[in-house]
């Protein structure tokens, strides 16, 4: 699953560390989500979308590659 | 970071409780002359301090769902491999006993199974951490 986390992070001028702190995660988790290595839970996805003021589907693009978990 | 300081403080308490119970267990066990007393005190001390540190750490740590996910997958894989292996091992041991009437002590069987479980967990934990990082 691809995402635009890096773009929205840049728009809001947030570092991975700052974003991680805002959503109560570790920087490593934000990095893994950003790189598409880890698919976040619905809870985290809603938190991230809510923080950037967008819909989940604006932030995460489903069906870009095989969704293997 | 407030949380890190708090966790550090709790880790010190944990170590003191753990080492204290080991010391107390050994001392009392030596004085009374019973290994079971030493073992019981050490076990109770180790378990209660481990439960304490887990509860406090869970309260203060950041909710890192990725590490929980990795831990879950690693534990599941370790269990699956250990369960299958111990099943085969026990079947072989039973076969040996039935055919040759040779009994193998349970410690000799349980030790490698527990070691295999720990080893598999460590390897799979490392693998999944790499995969999801």
């Amino acid at each position: 699953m691809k995402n635009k986390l890096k773009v929205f992070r840049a728009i809001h001028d947030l570092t991975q560390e700052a974003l991680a702190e805002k959503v109560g995660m570790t920087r490593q988790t934000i990095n893994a989500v950003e790189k598409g290595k880890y698919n976040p839970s619905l809870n985290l996805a809603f938190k991230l979308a809510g923080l950037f003021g967008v819909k989940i589907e604006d932030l995460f693009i489903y069906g870009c590659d095989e969704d293997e978990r | 970071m407030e949380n890190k300081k708090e966790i550090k403080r709790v880790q010190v308490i944990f170590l003191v409780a753990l080492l204290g119970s080991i010391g107390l267990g050994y001392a009392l066990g030596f004085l009374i002359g019973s290994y079971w007393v030493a073992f019981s005190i050490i076990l109770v001390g180790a378990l209660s301090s481990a439960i304490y540190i887990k509860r406090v750490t869970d309260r203060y740590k950041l909710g890192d769902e990725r590490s929980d996910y990795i831990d879950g997958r690693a534990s599941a894989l370790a269990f699956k491999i250990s369960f299958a292996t111990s099943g085969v091992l026990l079947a072989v041991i039973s076969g040996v006993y039935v055919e040759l009437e040779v009994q193998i002590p349970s410690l000799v069987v349980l030790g490698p199974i527990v070691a295999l479980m720990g080893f598999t967990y460590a390897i799979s934990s490392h693998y999944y951490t790499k995969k999801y990082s």
Side-chain angles (χ1 to χ4, degrees):
Chain A
M1 186 154 61
K2 281 186 180 169
N3 65 76
K4 295 180 186 167
L5 199 58
K6 197 171 183 178
V7 176
F8 280 102
R9 200 164 53 74
I11 291 170
H12 288 79
D13 197 24
L14 285 169
T15 60
Q16 285 186 344
E17 184 81 49
L19 178 60
E21 224 167 273
K22 278 185 186 288
V23 292
M25 293 289 145
T26 57
R27 189 195 57 76
Q28 287 83 354
T29 298
I30 296 297
N31 184 47
V33 172
E34 205 170 283
K35 285 199 287 182
K37 294 262 181 127
Y38 170 72
N39 290 336
S41 66
L42 261 181
N43 189 37
L44 177 57
F46 271 109
K47 269 187 188 176
L48 289 167
L51 186 81
F52 294 131
V54 293
K55 289 179 186 169
I56 285 187
E57 55 264 41
D58 295 330
L59 194 56
F60 296 97
I61 304 142
Y62 180 72
C64 291
D65 51 6
E66 75 284 0
D67 192 23
E68 187 259 324
R69 281 193 77 160
Chain B
M1 283 234 157
E2 288 282 313
N3 292 350
K4 281 184 181 171
K5 269 186 191 170
E6 185 63 26
I7 288 172
K8 204 88 181 161
R9 194 180 69 84
V10 169
Q11 280 171 342
V12 172
I13 295 172
F14 165 74
L15 273 177
V16 170
L18 183 66
L19 295 176
S21 57
I22 290 172
L24 185 71
Y26 266 113
L28 280 177
F30 183 74
L31 282 175
I32 299 167
S34 164
Y35 287 110
W36 282 108
V37 171
F39 180 71
S40 309
I41 291 172
I42 291 169
L43 192 69
V44 170
L47 279 178
S48 38
S49 50
I51 291 167
Y52 168 71
I53 194 170
K54 171 117 184 51
R55 281 176 62 185
V56 178
T57 310
D58 282 351
R59 198 189 324 147
Y60 284 106
K61 79 167 184 183
L62 291 168
D64 189 13
E65 60 173 48
R66 189 180 60 96
S67 66
D68 291 342
Y69 180 69
I70 290 169
D71 187 48
R73 288 205 73 163
S75 304
L77 185 65
F79 175 75
K80 280 178 200 165
I81 292 174
S82 314
F83 188 71
T85 313
S86 48
V88 172
L89 190 63
L90 290 174
V92 170
I93 289 167
S94 307
V96 167
Y97 175 66
V98 170
E99 290 296 318
L100 308 171
E101 291 192 11
V102 175
Q103 286 196 36
I104 299 167
S106 57
L107 270 179
V108 176
V109 180
L110 283 174
I113 290 174
V114 173
L116 174 76
M117 199 179 265
F119 181 72
T120 320
Y121 177 78
I123 297 289
S124 53
S125 187
H126 178 72
Y127 168 73
Y128 284 122
T129 305
K130 283 256 175 208
K131 186 177 177 182
Y132 296 111
S133 297

